[in-house]
Amino acid sequence: QVQLVESGGGLVQAGGSLRLSCAASQTIFSFYVMGWYRQAPGKQREMVATITSGGSTDYADIVKGRFTISRDSAKNTVYLRMNSLKPEDTAVYYCAARRTSSDHWGQGTQVTVSS
């Protein structure tokens, strides 16, 4: 069973930066698309950024140029670097490992951006 543990969330002022980490319990990057998703109160969960087994990345339009997804295969860890944060980035951020046959999700980490 794949386990994902997020960390790095917190309270930051608008314009600030945070780096989220997602540690996987086993080597999975070759088999899954890794991604970050977020859910704000009263809203649906949305994709923020993904990275494929081949290293291709994709971003939601609203975070392009501000957020960067990366991974360290030796540490089984995926990162989300978030710069120029805005109050509308406030949400619970989830890490996910996804493929056709199965999905695995972390417990989420809260990011709050104050104005």
Side-chain angles (χ1 to χ4, degrees):
Q1 179 72 10
V2 175
Q3 292 184 328
L4 304 172
V5 179
E6 301 101 332
S7 61
L11 174 63
V12 64
Q13 288 187 331
S17 298
L18 282 174
R19 189 181 76 160
L20 305 183
S21 300
C22 170
S25 59
Q26 54 190 276
T27 302
I28 60 172
F29 295 161
S30 296
F31 310 106
Y32 290 87
V33 175
M34 301 300 298
W36 287 96
Y37 296 74
R38 68 186 184 187
Q39 187 167 19
K43 295 187 177 181
Q44 290 188 329
R45 189 173 299 188
E46 62 180 359
M47 186 275 284
V48 176
T50 60
I51 183 166
T52 69
S53 58
S56 298
T57 58
D58 189 25
Y59 297 91
D61 288 343
I62 54 175
V63 306
K64 280 182 180 176
R66 299 190 296 126
F67 291 12
T68 303
I69 188 171
S70 62
R71 68 187 181 195
D72 185 334
S73 298
K75 295 181 179 180
N76 292 333
T77 301
V78 177
Y79 303 98
L80 183 68
R81 178 68 182 183
M82 306 185 292
N83 295 328
S84 303
L85 283 162
K86 305 175 181 179
E88 49 265 43
D89 293 319
T90 295
V92 178
Y93 283 71
Y94 297 91
C95 176
R98 311 189 74 179
R99 62 182 183 183
T100 303
S101 57
S102 61
D103 284 351
H104 303 279
W105 294 85
Q107 81 288 352
T109 185
Q110 177 71 45
V111 171
T112 302
V113 184
S114 63
S115 57

